[in-house]
Amino acid sequence: MSEKSFEDFRFVRPLQKAINREQYRTPTPIQAAAIPRILQGRDILGVAQTGTGKTAAFALPLLHNLAKNRKPSRAKSCRVLVLSPTRELASQIAERFSAYGRALNQRQMTVYGGVSENPQIKAMKKGVHVLVATPGRLLDLMNQGHIDLSGLDVFVLDEADRMLDMGFLPDIKKVIAKLPEKRQSLFFSATMPNPIVELADGLLHKPVKIDVTPAESASSVIDTIEQRVLFVEHSKKRQLLSHLLK
Ligand code: AMP
């Protein structure tokens, strides 16, 4: 299945061009499995780690669907909401949406804590197509009436198990309670502990389950990264590292 080509998905031209520009040749397994289903509007339960290409697995088909069904952005609203546990991840996801969607004229915004909320409030006034957010700041702005999720088309929850570890579950539940009944939901997690299974059950409607985690590994490090422990004198660390890199 991973021998599919990106051409098979028949993405709108600006997206196919972006894929060529990124020099992605073959879809990764999660991309091969998820992209056709997301294009069809199905809900997804993706068990996948970072490094598997999962960001493109949802960003590309969502950008395609937005481009095929253009609507002006509504005040304080977004059409796609991506929730991410940390500000760094949110920025990375937003950066990917910008890179893939550069020629699509979609308005996009990233909302996270630790910085002034004023520019975020101002940008949300007109509304955006894609909003990438961390849970705390999103809820803050929702509670103040600056963000309205009632007109949303797609909700993406990324790294759900990390959200749990970071204590975001109550916030996420509050966000989910404000989502419209009719929506597409995509749910990604590297592991599936019980509270995450329950969260997914409540959120997803007849999801397509995609599991690209090797069964024997419960950790969140991808297979292609080889790990070894080497004991070495502190003073020799640099030398050893340079030897290994060579
Ligand atoms: P992610 O798992 O979303 O964090 O992606 C990991 C990295 O893989 C990112 O740097 C992507 O740009 C890159 N990537 C995603 N899809 C592909 C692909 N089909 N071929 C090559 N690289 C990819």
Side-chain angles (χ1 to χ4, degrees):
M1 199 153 171
S2 57
E3 285 315 305
K4 252 183 147 99
S5 139
F6 278 105
E7 310 274 348
D8 297 338
F9 302 129
R10 301 179 174 280
F11 285 131
V12 291
R13 274 188 65 79
L15 269 183
Q16 185 56 53
K17 278 192 180 163
I19 293 163
N20 298 344
R21 194 169 53 231
E22 297 289 333
Q23 302 189 321
Y24 297 171
R25 307 253 177 269
T26 322
T28 65
I30 192 162
Q31 291 166 359
I35 289 173
R37 302 311 213 146
I38 297 174
L39 289 172
Q40 291 165 350
R42 292 288 301 266
D43 281 9
I44 300 283
L45 174 59
V47 185
Q49 303 151 334
T50 299
T52 53
K54 76 177 148 66
T55 314
F58 62 82
L60 293 169
L62 293 181
L63 283 166
H64 173 93
N65 287 348
L66 285 175
K68 283 301 233 186
N69 175 20
R70 284 189 181 276
K71 288 184 206 162
S73 46
R74 276 182 20 192
K76 301 182 183 180
S77 296
C78 60
R79 294 189 60 195
V80 172
L81 168 65
V82 184
L83 261 195
S84 151
T86 65
R87 147 184 183 167
E88 289 70 26
L89 260 173
S91 304
Q92 278 173 32
I93 294 169
E95 188 277 325
R96 290 290 85 203
F97 269 96
S98 307
Y100 303 141
R102 208 190 291 172
L104 289 174
N105 277 328
Q106 306 284 4
R107 287 169 52 77
Q108 179 185 323
M109 182 62 199
T110 316
V111 153
Y112 47 69
V115 294
S116 159
E117 35 178 62
N118 292 331
Q120 301 174 358
I121 293 170
K122 200 168 156 212
M124 284 309 298
K125 274 207 173 109
K126 277 202 226 159
V128 296
H129 295 98
V130 179
L131 174 63
V132 186
T134 54
R137 176 60 62 90
L138 175 70
L139 257 186
D140 256 10
L141 297 186
M142 283 167 66
N143 290 338
Q144 293 177 53
H146 296 301
I147 295 181
D148 167 18
L149 299 181
S150 61
L152 163 147
D153 295 333
V154 188
F155 175 60
V156 184
L157 186 61
D158 196 22
E159 310 245 339
D161 52 352
R162 270 180 81 186
M163 301 267 198
L164 173 75
D165 293 344
M166 293 173 72
F168 282 139
L169 219 50
D171 282 357
I172 291 170
K173 288 183 177 160
K174 286 181 199 155
V175 171
I176 291 174
K178 299 283 183 189
L179 300 178
E181 193 68 22
K182 191 173 168 305
R183 57 162 197 259
Q184 182 179 19
S185 307
L186 315 179
F187 189 105
F188 296 93
S189 194
T191 57
M192 292 298 290
N194 271 336
I196 293 303
V197 173
E198 281 163 27
L199 186 70
D201 280 348
L203 181 74
L204 301 169
H205 175 69
K206 295 192 183 157
V208 178
K209 192 168 179 208
I210 300 168
D211 191 341
V212 296
T213 313
E216 70 277 12
S217 128
S219 78
S220 50
V221 177
I222 188 169
D223 259 9
T224 48
I225 299 174
E226 186 192 316
Q227 300 186 84
R228 269 188 292 163
V229 178
L230 299 173
F231 294 95
V232 62
E233 293 292 331
H234 188 23
S235 60
K236 298 269 173 60
K237 268 188 174 176
R238 194 182 289 261
Q239 221 180 322
L240 176 65
L241 181 64
S242 114
H243 170 73
L244 289 173
L245 288 173
K246 269 184 208 145

